[in-house]
Amino acid sequence: MADLFADFEPAPPEPAAPPDAPLADCLRPASLAEVVGQEHLTGPEGAIGRMVAARRLSSIILWGPPGTGKTTIARLLADAVGLRFASISAVFSGVADLKRVFAEARDHARIGKRTLLFVDEIHRFNRAQQDGFLPFVEDGTVVLVGATTENPSFELNAALLSRAQVLVLHRLGREPLEQLLERAEALLERPLPLTQEARAALVASADGDGRFLLNQAETLFASDLPAPLDPAGLSAFLQRRVAVYDKDREGHYGVISALHKSIRGSDPQAALYYLARMLTAGEEPLYVLRRLTRAAVEDIGLADPQALAQCIAAKEAYDFLGSPEGELAIVQACLYLATAPKSNRVFLAQKTAWSAAKEHGSLSPPKHILGAPTRLMRDLGYGRGYEYDHDAPGAFSGADYWPEEMTPQTFYEPSERGLEKRIGERMAWWAEQREGRASGE
């Protein structure tokens, strides 16, 4: 009987990384206290710190940029609370792999050993596959720890999200990245062959990704450099890091939102920064131009009608010049929008007008402004009493153009900014003339 459960003995601890293992693996933390940059989660007051202290782990989704410690935290969590650790990757796993993992977890649960199931890139599982986790999470067969670089609210099922706590990992700042370099130097017992300025440039190039930083450091350590590199030498030695920007993912929408809001907030410096982020990362320039054009009509409108003209001219210039020369026209349009007077009154007018049109249905315009191309229509009164405004004083007749069943409404109310101030004065004069006509003055 002693051998009945021999297959379910806890897995032996992982062996130490072999001498030829990548530097990032050699420096993988041995405890949660060694994880850098995520103290808001792993510290005593953090969500993970509290779970470990209570030795009660609920299912979680770790959401954060690449190289911030998601896989490491998941493995250390299992060790900290005494759970069996199993892992799969949504990139390489299918239904058969999931069935096998859940069957093994059930077998271990029968002998009182719960399983922490780590699912890397969990957002890559489709909706049906994500639903497959639910019964095993609900009955406690597995404690699910999913890792994703994408916004869970867009990529994961609502049912799965309701059963898991989303924990946000931060991109690593300068200090945590420096800690990683110091650990690497201590392990290898020699300093990085860089000047202080080049070291700062290397940290900045990592863009918050610890794994990337250690891989670059490993390349430097492995090279027989005659003298420490300066920033220019480092740039020539290492390939330039491509900006973290996926045109089909959450980062794309975050940066375009930041660009639009910077324009709306009249901050040309920030707007130009986010524009540069997009274009240097390979965003389609015509997409950027479409978003700029939207900002022109939504956030500037008639306060400066030239804003729209600038966007259309930038599109024509880009079509004519192409990249990279044509991108200067996009920069000009972006800066014009950010420095133009702002008004959303055209945007608001559209919304209220659309709402009124849907509410009131297909009301007929008053007959006096309807065309009368046939005798029957003229006999019915179409066009009768129409006043030609150019023949009226001030080219303004003050006639009523609204359907008879509908009281006149106000959709567009100009702001006091830019050209709209003059438009508002003109509209006020017209309103005064209409009131005078209505009162018989």
Side-chain angles (χ1 to χ4, degrees):
M1 292 295 293
D3 294 327
L4 285 177
F5 302 109
D7 291 339
F8 305 123
E9 288 297 318
E14 290 194 357
D20 59 347
L23 181 59
D25 278 352
C26 294
L27 290 175
R28 196 175 290 278
S31 70
L32 287 168
E34 295 180 12
V35 176
V36 299
Q38 310 303 338
E39 290 79 8
H40 64 293
L41 296 177
T42 60
E45 300 302 315
I48 290 175
R50 290 178 181 275
M51 290 182 193
V52 171
R55 296 189 66 80
R56 292 181 63 86
L57 184 61
S58 60
S59 291
I60 58 177
I61 302 296
L62 300 174
W63 173 29
T68 52
K70 295 184 291 295
T71 304
T72 296
I73 288 175
R75 186 175 294 278
L76 294 175
L77 263 176
D79 294 339
V81 297
L83 297 184
R84 170 179 171 268
F85 182 82
S87 68
I88 57 173
S89 169
V91 177
F92 302 111
S93 303
V95 174
D97 301 290
L98 290 174
K99 287 182 177 179
R100 175 183 55 78
V101 168
F102 291 138
E104 292 175 356
R106 279 200 188 284
D107 289 339
H108 281 84
R110 291 192 186 103
I111 59 169
K113 189 67 174 177
R114 296 183 69 199
T115 297
L116 184 152
L117 175 60
F118 175 65
V119 184
D120 197 17
E121 303 284 342
I122 191 171
H123 61 276
R124 294 184 180 270
F125 277 134
N126 62 36
R127 302 289 176 173
Q129 289 170 319
Q130 290 179 30
D131 284 341
F133 288 95
L134 299 179
F136 302 97
V137 171
E138 288 179 341
D139 68 11
T141 300
V142 299
V143 174
L144 174 66
V145 177
T148 179
T149 56
E150 304 302 330
N151 191 326
S153 59
F154 298 147
E155 303 295 336
L156 299 184
N157 283 356
L160 188 58
L161 285 177
S162 71
R163 292 162 174 81
Q165 182 179 0
V166 176
L167 302 181
V168 180
L169 279 74
H170 296 164
R171 65 187 295 276
L172 300 184
R174 181 182 60 80
E175 289 187 9
L177 292 173
E178 277 286 358
Q179 283 183 266
L180 293 179
L181 290 183
E182 290 169 3
R183 291 179 184 179
E185 290 172 325
L187 177 69
L188 299 177
E189 300 181 337
R190 53 196 171 101
L192 269 172
L194 298 174
T195 65
Q196 284 300 316
E197 294 80 6
R199 186 186 184 97
L202 177 66
V203 169
S205 75
D207 196 22
D209 185 335
R211 186 187 306 109
F212 174 86
L213 178 70
L214 291 175
N215 289 343
Q216 297 292 67
E218 185 172 21
T219 302
L220 289 164
F221 279 125
S223 302
D224 186 15
L225 298 172
L229 297 174
D230 61 10
L234 176 67
S235 178
F237 184 82
L238 298 176
Q239 292 185 349
R240 181 177 68 88
R241 180 176 175 84
V242 178
V244 177
Y245 181 85
D246 190 333
K247 291 187 286 183
D248 298 322
R249 296 290 182 180
E250 197 256 344
H252 160 86
Y253 297 106
V255 176
I256 193 61
S257 175
L259 171 62
H260 193 148
K261 289 179 173 65
S262 299
I263 289 172
R264 179 182 296 152
S266 299
D267 189 334
Q269 318 303 342
L272 186 55
Y273 165 71
Y274 290 116
L275 177 70
R277 283 270 302 272
M278 299 183 76
L279 292 181
T280 59
E283 180 59 82
E284 173 57 51
L286 290 178
Y287 171 79
V288 177
L289 281 164
R290 285 194 293 271
R291 302 315 304 167
L292 292 179
T293 304
R294 170 68 188 194
V297 293
E298 178 180 339
D299 294 299
I300 298 168
L302 289 174
D304 186 352
Q306 277 298 313
L308 177 57
Q310 283 282 332
C311 291
I312 301 305
K315 190 263 182 188
E316 293 294 323
Y318 180 79
D319 283 344
F320 185 57
L321 294 174
S323 289
E325 292 88 350
E327 291 173 8
L328 188 58
I330 303 177
V331 170
Q332 177 175 314
C334 174
L335 293 176
Y336 191 99
L337 300 188
T339 55
K342 302 301 187 296
S343 171
N344 68 342
R345 300 302 176 87
V346 169
F347 175 61
L348 295 178
Q350 182 208 18
K351 291 176 67 176
T352 42
W354 263 234
S355 177
K358 293 174 182 177
E359 177 185 350
H360 293 284
S362 303
L363 300 180
S364 175
K367 286 185 178 180
H368 71 91
I369 61 171
L370 294 176
T374 68
R375 180 173 179 176
L376 174 62
M377 295 172 78
R378 288 192 293 273
D379 290 343
L380 292 173
Y382 284 30
R384 188 178 303 157
Y386 172 66
E387 299 178 65
Y388 186 58
D389 284 83
H390 292 289
D391 291 339
F396 179 72
S397 68
D400 183 357
Y401 298 99
W402 290 87
E404 294 179 3
E405 303 90 340
M406 186 176 176
T407 57
Q409 314 236 339
T410 299
F411 302 134
Y412 176 54
E413 298 182 79
S415 71
E416 291 291 314
R417 296 177 292 278
L419 182 63
E420 281 196 322
K421 181 176 176 62
R422 292 176 55 195
I423 294 174
E425 293 169 354
R426 193 179 308 135
M427 290 177 64
W429 184 82
W430 286 331
E432 183 180 338
Q433 298 303 306
R434 280 198 181 90
E435 290 176 6
R437 174 183 171 123
S439 63
E441 297 179 3

